Amino acid sequence: MSLRAERGAATREKVVAIARRLFAEHGYEGTSIEAVLHESGLSRGALYHHYAGKDALFEAVLEAVESEVGRAILASVRGVDDPRQALVTGCLEWMRLAGDPVVRRIALIDAPSVLGWERWRAMEERHAFGMLKAALQASRAVPEEFTDLHAHMLLAAINESALLVARGGGPEAAEAALEDFLRRVLGPTP
Amino acid sequence: MSLRAERGAATREKVVAIARRLFAEHGYEGTSIEAVLHESGLSRGALYHHYAGKDALFEAVLEAVESEVGRAILASVRGVDDPRQALVTGCLEWMRLAGDPVVRRIALIDAPSVLGWERWRAMEERHAFGMLKAALQASRAVPEEFTDLHAHMLLAAINESALLVARGGGPEAAEAALEDFLRRVLGPTP
DNA sequence: CTTTGAAACAGACCGACTGTCGGTCTGGAA
DNA sequence: TTCCAGACCGACAGTCGGTCTGTTTCAAAG
């Protein structure tokens, strides 16, 4: 990689890291571009050279977050052979990850409103949601024609339980409830 | 009610109605207070006299929407005796109502981001979610200790399927999937 | 080595927006 | 009639997102 491209990539990385922290801390609306500029020491011109606008910056941050989450989930199910068990394991891992305030605020609360539901789902499809759908299909736990819709509903349920953990009550209760919920949806183990 | 209080209430009603349409059409961020003022013919001072800020206005709009939805759901289950069937009926009705673009955009997409998840859920607790939890408890379909968490997850799943209807694919498929999903969670009918 | 083009960066500037503040008007109580 | 609180007004300040015109720097072409 040339020196120039490297510098550009480094700048983007730095900006995304800072924006990620600010978005997570104060939300999308509560974070000003000015603050990102100030903390990064960058100029307006430079930032707008790399990102078309505030929402594009947010999208880049979300992409980074989702990508990390996806990798972590993949790692958690590595070695689990039974597709059904892998599904449960992956979902529980997901719930734990989504308990991180950064993931919560950025990926679950602000993303739908900022990007619009369509773009949000499109991104999830490329990351964690894609895995969930594949796992659900592999498990053959639900009729084929329901796979997509059930995967969506499951995803929503998991996200919700992750948000509930933050509300209080401890993660143990939420984990137990989620596991029970999953077993119900997946049906009796054959 | 005195003439003054009446006038004030009428003003609030008018503003909320206009803001509701604009919020639904352009989202929270995409709607300017200025536009609300212009359409209502009100002055800035008057609006800020009634509502502390843009988010307070949004909250008032959301309150109105949720209240309507709650009433409609109550009406739909009137006459259904079996608690389990009432639960299914109410949920399906909810999904249909949430298919309305106004409800979708305001109550499902923007609300968590604008009010914050806590305030959003607190409001839902007072309306539709409160009913769902009560119905789930009455149905005795899930263990007592899971009632609250399962109700949350169910709610999320229903909301998700409502959003999916808008994405396309027709409401029939979503309804069938939701009903199947519900039956799985509630377990076999005794 | 020089030229040239493009990417990276800088920061003044603009329009739009939210929220504030002093002030006016009026219904209804004292 | 007096007086106050609440409804309403609109100018204004401050902030913010985004644009525009440069300037610097690297590297490829000549």
Side-chain angles (χ1 to χ4, degrees):
Chain A
M1 203 193 288
S2 75
L3 201 151
R4 302 190 49 162
E6 253 180 82
R7 271 211 341 217
T11 300
R12 277 191 293 274
E13 209 170 318
K14 188 166 96 178
V15 167
V16 163
I18 287 168
R20 175 176 171 158
R21 183 167 51 76
L22 291 175
F23 281 146
E25 233 168 280
H26 311 108
Y28 180 78
E29 250 221 298
T31 302
S32 69
I33 291 283
E34 218 107 38
V36 177
L37 296 180
H38 182 259
E39 291 217 16
S40 63
L42 216 63
S43 68
R44 289 191 99 67
L47 190 142
Y48 277 92
H49 169 73
H50 289 288
Y51 299 101
K54 194 182 178 185
D55 61 332
L57 176 58
F58 181 86
E59 193 166 5
V61 170
L62 179 62
E63 175 75 39
V65 171
E66 293 254 9
S67 178
E68 271 180 37
V69 170
R71 272 197 300 274
I73 291 174
L74 266 188
S76 79
V77 298
R78 193 153 299 161
V80 183
D81 285 333
D82 177 38
R84 184 176 300 239
Q85 186 52 45
L87 189 55
V88 174
T89 303
C91 287
L92 285 173
E93 175 68 11
W94 187 339
M95 198 197 79
R96 288 187 200 104
L97 291 167
D100 174 15
V102 176
V103 178
R104 258 205 317 266
R105 182 77 209 227
I106 293 176
L108 302 184
I109 297 180
D110 280 341
S113 157
V114 173
L115 300 182
W117 192 79
E118 303 285 348
R119 274 164 76 196
W120 176 53
R121 271 297 187 248
M123 178 166 290
E124 291 224 312
E125 196 102 19
R126 291 205 332 270
H127 292 104
F129 176 66
M131 296 182 207
L132 174 58
K133 199 156 77 175
L136 189 61
Q137 191 143 32
S139 76
R140 297 181 196 287
V142 305
E144 184 108 28
E145 73 264 31
F146 289 155
T147 305
D148 186 71
L149 290 165
H150 278 38
H152 270 99
M153 289 190 269
L154 269 182
L155 175 73
I158 298 163
N159 288 345
E160 177 74 11
S161 54
L163 291 167
L164 282 165
V165 172
R167 192 194 54 171
E172 302 83 10
E175 278 181 36
L178 176 58
E179 189 158 355
D180 177 75
F181 194 88
L182 281 173
R183 305 265 180 221
R184 283 165 179 270
V185 172
L186 298 180
T189 35
Chain B
M1 204 194 286
S2 75
L3 199 150
R4 302 188 47 159
E6 252 180 82
R7 273 213 336 219
T11 299
R12 277 190 293 274
E13 209 170 317
K14 187 165 99 180
V15 167
V16 163
I18 287 169
R20 175 176 171 160
R21 183 167 51 76
L22 292 175
F23 281 144
E25 233 168 281
H26 310 110
Y28 180 78
E29 251 220 297
T31 301
S32 70
I33 291 282
E34 216 105 38
V36 176
L37 296 180
H38 182 258
E39 290 216 19
S40 64
L42 216 63
S43 68
R44 288 193 94 65
L47 191 144
Y48 278 94
H49 170 71
H50 289 289
Y51 300 102
K54 196 182 176 184
D55 61 332
L57 175 59
F58 181 86
E59 193 166 7
V61 169
L62 179 62
E63 174 77 38
V65 170
E66 293 256 8
S67 178
E68 270 180 37
V69 169
R71 272 197 300 276
I73 291 175
L74 265 188
S76 79
V77 298
R78 193 154 299 159
V80 183
D81 285 334
D82 177 38
R84 185 176 300 238
Q85 187 52 46
L87 190 54
V88 174
T89 303
C91 287
L92 285 172
E93 174 68 11
W94 187 340
M95 198 197 79
R96 289 189 199 102
L97 290 166
D100 174 15
V102 176
V103 179
R104 258 205 316 267
R105 183 77 209 228
I106 293 175
L108 301 184
I109 297 180
D110 281 341
S113 156
V114 174
L115 300 182
W117 191 79
E118 303 284 349
R119 275 164 76 196
W120 175 51
R121 271 299 185 247
M123 179 166 291
E124 290 224 312
E125 196 103 20
R126 290 208 327 273
H127 292 103
F129 176 66
M131 296 182 206
L132 174 58
K133 199 156 78 176
L136 190 61
Q137 192 143 33
S139 77
R140 296 181 196 288
V142 304
E144 184 107 26
E145 72 265 31
F146 289 154
T147 305
D148 186 70
L149 289 165
H150 278 38
H152 270 99
M153 290 190 268
L154 269 183
L155 175 73
I158 298 162
N159 289 344
E160 178 74 11
S161 53
L163 291 167
L164 282 165
V165 172
R167 191 194 55 170
E172 303 83 10
E175 277 181 35
L178 176 57
E179 188 157 356
D180 178 75
F181 194 88
L182 282 173
R183 303 266 182 219
R184 283 165 180 271
V185 173
L186 298 180
T189 36

